[in-house]
Amino acid sequence: QKSASSPSNIPKSYPIIGSYFAIKSNQENRVQWTTEILQSSLSATFTLHNLFGSRQIFTANPANVQHMLKTHFFNYYKGPVSRGVLFDFLGHGIFNVDGESWKYQRQVSSHEFNTKSLRKFVQTVVDTELHDRLIPMLSDAVVDKSVLDLQEILQRFAFDNVCKIAFGFDPACLLPSLPSAQFAEAFEDATDISSKRFRAFLSIAWKIKRFFNVGSEKRLHTAVTQVRDFARKIVREKKQELADKSSLESVDLLSRFLTSGHTDENFATDIVISFILAGRDTTSAALTWFFWLLHKNPEVEKEILKEIKGKSGMPVFEEVKDMVYTHAALCECMRLYPPVPLDSKTAVDDDILPDGTVVKKGTVVTYHPYAMGRMEKIWGSDWAEFKPERWLQRDEAGKWIFAGRDPYTYPVFQAGPRLCLGKEMAFLQMKRVVSGVLRQFKVVPAVEDGFQPSFVVYLTSKMKGGFPVRMEERENVD
Ligand code: HEM
């Protein structure tokens, strides 16, 4: 008989070392390993014991998730561990703070995110990047019959986009020569090495390396200094530009913060870096898996093509707004392959979760979007199948309408007061890419039969080793 809190496959815990060896041997496939335990737990929650009595609670239980992210939001914060790991890189940026500082940045940013003019700017940026860079590059690949790493291309696409939107700077990463732009590389290093700090068994190990400025910490220091210096330089230039001009020409987020009175240089630098991090590898991760899933599910691709055909020629926003089937297919893709597969909070005070799990002050509680997308209890026995129809209903006229899910059963964009600020922007960008690419090309994986890509996790998820593809010109879509 299994008890609610201790599924049969939970690793054995010993005094002092807890489940150290089991954790260590599953470090590479931590997400899949914890998913299997959650799938066999009656309440979809378990506690993992680490060295010296420290514990981490994992949950895929929607009631617990709602409790953490909404009803007891103030008891679950990013906390000192997460803040310490990311502080050198993100400073006091929105992604890395709690309390009043977070509230203030959230208010200022959500005000800007909700303006019509920002939305318009985002559309222009995405369409320019699509038509001037992505499509020509894919066309060249058709002619050359070359193999591209689509994951890398999409990352470059997303990085150009988010830099232009966040601070009006074009790093021009998506060029045929695949240039190594210093800012992009420094950003990548800073992200990767910071994420390794999270995986260190004892934080003292990276703290000692940082103190002596050696190894990975030395590289991190160099990368972070480059990122922050570069961002600060742009902030200064932008301030100057705005002081010289009476009217605002650029409508990027940084200009908006600066012209609405938020002129503190550190504030502006920190917030911009947080936005770039948030918008950088998330949409590219989702799209990489999306094109893979379309290859495996040609009937879904056919349905999307029908939708694209019906929409071509419309203005941008009208077009993507009505791409209901594509929207559902993207949601379904992120159910199986969420760009942020795990998200951790720290308990401010002792608490009890709705399923009875006892939480001690200071414990890390991790909710698990990857496991939640794979729970039979939530999605039914066909949870492993890619079925956009889960997200759709037909209206009386037989047209698809989108049927959203409770956000606490699908916290892919988090949920509650800290819901992702870029959710709408992300869907706009992803739908434009899907529509622009599929209208003209067929994406054919350049892999052997039976190939199964692996899902790996840094701060965000990736397809291990990249996604090699060939592009074929599609005929007769319009
Ligand atoms: C498919 C794409 C995306 C996914 C799945 C996603 C997911 C998430 C998640 C899970 C969080 C919560 C992280 C945490 O607090 O630990 C988050 C926060 C955030 N996201 Fe996104 N995101 C996406 C795209 C974007 C884009 C394109 C932007 C904008 C440039 C963006 C901006 C933000 C910001 C600013 C936050 C912090 C919100 C806060 O702390 O109040 N995201 N996102």
Side-chain angles (χ1 to χ4, degrees), residues 78 94-95 102 106 113 162 275 278-279 282-283 286 334 339-340 343 345 367 411-414 418-422 425-426 430:
K78 295 243 168 176
I94 182 167
F95 219 82
W102 165 74
R106 175 89 192 182
F113 258 77
V162 76
F275 269 94
T282 39
T283 50
M334 290 186 285
V340 184
D343 206 333
K345 309 281 174 193
Y367 71 91
V412 162
F413 290 91
Q414 193 156 285
R418 263 193 117 139
L419 173 75
C420 169
L421 264 171
M425 185 191 292
M430 293 189 293

